[in-house]
Amino acid sequence: MKLTKDKIDLLLSGTREERIYACAKSFRLFKLYYFTKYLTFKPAPFHDDFDQDVEDLVSGLIKEAIWMAFRESAKTSDAKIAVVWLIARKVVIDALREQGEDVSHWGERLYINVDCYDKNNSESILFDVVTELQTNDLLVADFGQLYNKPRTKEEATLKRISNFVTNNRIRVEAHTALTPMRGRLYQQYRPDFVLRDDLENAITADSPAITEKIIRLLDEAKGGMAAHGASLTLGNFIIEHGVMGYIRKAVDGAGGHVRFIPVVSRQGVLAWPDKYVKTDAEAVVANDGIADPSKRKISLESKRRELNAGGRRVYEVEMLLDPGAAGSPFFDRSAIERLTAACSESREQKAGLYLWAEYNPAHRYALGADTGKGNGNDHSTSVLIDFSTIPARQIASYANNHIPADQFAYELKRQADLFGSCLIAPEKNSESGGSCLTTLKMIYKADDIYRQVPLDRISDQPLGSGELGWETNSATKYVILNDLRTAVEDGLLVINDERILREMRSFTHTDADDLGRTRVGHFTNHFDLMMACAITWEMRKYARVKQALEEYKQPDFEPTSL
């Protein structure tokens, strides 16, 4: 809603009934009148989008919205005010209902949930909401006491409230995002408005298992909400393909509203020009004569120094929403983007193995594998490449984070047998890699398992017969990663699986340095498919066309009758 002089006059000079009716209809008017203390700076253009999203969610025009905005963008403050608005506007809805009017189009909300990764954060949001309901004089004067139950000593000390029911019969609850939404009930109502915040942080970003659990629960939550339920998700962009990246894609695909707001756009435009300037010099000029420090414009140059003081590039992640910039990209981004644009859906899937092409007996194939423990954390992965095409092509891939290491050996045999019992190069590092390889040797021909033979440092001649399996260590990790990078950037290898390309896009030199520090040769940050691909690419030197076991001889001609 566009703010006009008439609307301002209504807020300042209208009757109480006129004012609360207008504010119940317009979230923006509600915020501007009852929460002026939050408006230290003139609102940014994107705040108009936030306001419209809240109204569209409540009216039913959309069911989902996500605000991926920089730190200090006021997204959480806006969301808290939105919860207060949902509670306050029911006063108007109830009054209209008593007058016999149809209020079905008002989007009444009766059961509000606030979900965060850490429940303490959810409870803190509820505490702030209750504080406003009890202490906001303008709000109480117009809407009355919406919640006047005294807070317990523990609640007041910890500044956290887990749940409450307002005087106009709206229930608000705090939850952790790690608990299912199914089963949540208030009388006969299921959650009809869900505010999600802090779903992605340093803990979730470093744990693929937690990330996958949250995503799974988000999918299940759609069945636990009311049919007219709506959700608003807030957050930064810490990793490219984590929880927030998933929600962003899901909301966009479902026709919801996606707000992606870095503090400075790629074109150099400030998102909030009334609050920020780009340089220290600009800040000195802009703040000349402003005595109140809270009203002075902030220099992004100083903000960068402040956030990056510890050596980590926090500014790039939390202010520019560019997790890739937090570390120097290992692979050329433009090459990865080109390959991603050319990706195609797999032609079929066989028990988790995605296939892009059929077996050709005249072609050379190899299957590389990276083994996980099967405990839900890192994945056991495999990638198959056809080396006979020009360029070579990745035509099969597999990822499973629950398959036991020894059972993964049987899975590798199954996959390789689909391509003529081709060469397999399983990673042998760690306990899981050894377990997989031990089983594989018993069920697969040893000659078709890659044997890593060390070379003499002086003569470059083989030393002994070597050991089965691929070992990734400080001497080999950069070799295979650089070889894979060259293949991709020079157009020698086409990768069809977008999952591999996503891992490559987010992989940085820092990640390469960390390889092997926790468990030698095994990535800890969801780069398992990429690792399997790198191992497979090394097999281009060893893959061979499979020969028939015996030469086919046409039988002599025998007439069928004399």
Side-chain angles (χ1 to χ4, degrees):
M1 177 183 289
K2 186 176 182 181
L3 192 62
T4 63
K5 184 178 183 302
D6 291 341
K7 293 184 176 66
I8 294 175
D9 289 341
L10 175 64
L11 292 178
L12 299 179
S13 306
T15 65
R16 169 188 171 272
E17 288 73 18
E18 291 173 333
R19 182 169 52 250
I20 65 172
Y21 182 88
C23 289
K25 295 285 287 184
S26 168
F27 174 61
R28 188 180 189 196
L29 290 182
F30 179 85
K31 183 173 68 172
L32 290 177
Y33 184 75
Y34 298 103
F35 292 87
T36 52
K37 62 183 178 182
Y38 283 84
L39 305 179
T40 304
F41 300 96
K42 179 182 177 181
F46 65 83
H47 289 127
D48 293 341
D49 295 329
F50 286 178
D51 297 344
Q52 190 62 53
D53 286 348
V54 172
E55 293 182 15
D56 289 348
L57 286 167
V58 172
S59 66
L61 289 177
I62 58 173
K63 291 182 68 67
E64 297 176 289
I66 179 173
W67 298 348
M68 300 178 73
F70 59 93
R71 178 197 287 191
E72 301 172 0
S73 62
K75 56 184 179 292
T76 302
S77 296
D78 269 21
K80 292 176 185 176
I81 297 172
V83 174
V84 177
W85 181 60
L86 292 175
I87 296 170
R89 70 196 298 268
K90 190 174 184 297
V91 172
V92 176
I93 296 173
D94 288 342
L96 293 174
R97 185 183 287 115
E98 288 179 6
Q99 297 171 15
E101 294 194 27
D102 179 14
V103 295
S104 59
H105 62 285
W106 276 77
E108 182 179 28
R109 306 291 157 160
L110 299 172
Y111 187 18
I112 301 169
N113 283 196
V114 178
D115 286 23
C116 299
Y117 170 73
D118 187 341
K119 189 181 178 183
N120 289 338
N121 292 339
S122 305
E123 293 175 340
S124 177
I125 290 175
L126 263 61
F127 182 89
D128 291 343
V129 169
V130 165
T131 299
E132 291 297 336
L133 295 177
Q134 294 180 335
T135 64
N136 188 313
D137 293 336
L138 289 175
L139 189 72
V140 173
D142 278 358
F143 291 93
Q145 284 287 349
L146 295 170
Y147 182 74
N148 52 6
K149 179 182 177 181
R151 285 169 282 187
T152 66
K153 183 177 180 181
E154 182 181 13
E155 289 173 341
T157 301
L158 298 178
K159 295 186 177 182
R160 296 201 300 264
I161 295 177
S162 60
N163 63 81
F164 64 93
V165 178
T166 65
N167 295 341
N168 56 351
R169 304 176 307 282
I170 294 177
R171 183 170 182 83
V172 187
E173 290 181 350
H175 293 278
T176 170
L178 295 175
T179 58
M181 185 167 290
R182 286 186 179 275
R184 299 184 193 177
L185 284 174
Y186 166 49
Q187 297 176 355
Q188 72 271 33
Y189 307 113
R190 290 190 292 172
D192 51 21
F193 189 88
V194 180
L195 170 62
R196 297 186 175 105
D197 195 7
D198 183 40
L199 297 188
E200 189 164 86
N201 51 38
I203 297 174
T204 63
D206 287 340
S207 175
I210 294 178
T211 294
E212 290 183 10
K213 181 176 181 179
I214 293 175
I215 289 174
R216 185 174 67 252
L217 290 172
L218 288 173
D219 287 338
E220 294 175 355
K222 296 174 182 178
M225 293 177 62
H228 64 287
S231 65
L232 172 61
T233 304
L234 322 177
N236 296 106
F237 195 30
I238 298 178
I239 56 175
E240 291 183 282
H241 302 289
V243 174
M244 293 301 290
Y246 173 82
I247 298 174
R248 178 188 184 186
K249 186 175 181 180
V251 170
D252 188 47
H257 288 178
V258 175
R259 308 299 179 187
F260 187 83
I261 308 166
V263 70
V264 181
S265 70
R266 291 185 178 181
Q267 293 74 33
V269 179
L270 288 168
W272 198 346
D274 198 64
K275 183 175 182 179
Y276 296 100
V277 292
K278 293 182 180 179
T279 66
D280 294 342
E282 290 175 306
V284 171
V285 174
N287 295 325
D288 184 32
I290 300 178
D292 187 350
S294 67
K295 297 183 179 180
R296 294 173 185 166
K297 291 193 176 184
I298 300 169
S299 162
L300 292 179
E301 186 178 355
S302 66
K303 178 64 71 173
R304 185 191 296 269
R305 288 196 302 270
E306 171 193 338
L307 295 179
N308 291 352
R312 297 175 60 244
R313 302 181 72 176
V314 178
Y315 176 86
E316 284 72 16
V317 174
E318 298 201 0
M319 299 300 287
L320 297 181
L321 306 186
D322 187 0
S328 177
F330 190 89
F331 295 91
D332 180 71
R333 286 290 180 85
S334 60
I336 300 301
E337 296 293 349
R338 185 187 71 249
L339 285 171
T340 301
C343 276
S344 60
E345 292 289 333
S346 59
R347 60 189 301 170
E348 64 177 319
Q349 181 189 155
K350 292 185 177 180
L353 178 67
Y354 291 85
L355 297 165
W356 280 264
E358 295 181 351
Y359 171 58
N360 186 330
H363 285 198
R364 299 187 304 121
Y365 299 98
L367 184 72
D370 184 37
T371 310
K373 289 184 176 181
N375 58 3
N377 291 315
D378 49 359
H379 288 72
S380 288
T381 57
S382 60
V383 171
L384 187 137
I385 294 177
D386 183 347
F387 294 106
S388 293
T389 61
I390 300 177
R393 293 181 177 274
Q394 171 265 321
I395 61 169
S397 57
Y398 174 89
N400 188 325
N401 64 342
H402 289 288
I403 186 171
D406 55 349
Q407 187 177 331
F408 186 47
Y410 289 91
E411 175 61 32
L412 291 176
K413 180 182 185 303
R414 177 184 76 90
Q415 297 173 14
D417 286 344
L418 293 174
F419 290 86
S421 299
C422 65
L423 177 67
I424 301 179
E427 182 238 12
K428 66 179 180 181
N429 300 39
S430 77
E431 177 184 347
S432 55
S435 176
C436 175
L437 187 57
T438 298
T439 303
L440 186 62
K441 288 188 292 185
M442 295 187 291
I443 61 174
Y444 202 69
K445 188 177 179 181
D447 290 345
D448 291 326
I449 302 175
Y450 170 73
R451 187 180 296 273
Q452 196 165 14
V453 181
L455 301 178
D456 183 85
R457 295 183 179 181
I458 299 177
S459 65
D460 204 30
Q461 295 299 311
L463 293 176
S465 59
E467 297 181 1
L468 294 177
W470 175 272
E471 180 182 6
T472 305
N473 52 42
S474 58
T476 63
K477 64 178 180 179
Y478 283 108
V479 172
I480 62 174
L481 290 172
N482 282 311
D483 283 354
L484 180 61
R485 176 169 58 184
T486 299
V488 168
E489 295 176 5
D490 290 354
L492 304 177
L493 173 64
V494 172
I495 296 177
N496 290 306
D497 192 337
E498 189 176 349
R499 297 176 300 173
I500 301 174
L501 294 171
R502 288 200 301 261
E503 292 183 8
M504 294 171 69
R505 189 181 189 281
S506 59
F507 188 69
T508 67
H509 284 278
T510 302
D511 294 317
D513 291 338
D514 289 341
L515 173 61
R517 290 184 180 176
T518 304
R519 283 193 294 122
V520 176
H522 205 98
F523 290 94
T524 58
N525 280 333
H526 58 272
F527 299 113
D528 305 311
L529 272 169
M530 184 196 73
M531 183 60 184
C533 187
I535 294 173
T536 310
W537 179 246
E538 287 303 301
M539 296 303 105
R540 68 193 182 280
K541 311 166 189 176
Y542 310 103
R544 298 288 183 268
V545 175
K546 297 293 290 186
Q547 301 295 324
L549 295 179
E550 58 182 35
E551 184 178 351
Y552 174 75
K553 182 178 180 181
Q554 183 174 353
D556 295 334
F557 173 76
E558 295 183 4
T560 57
S561 61
L562 296 177

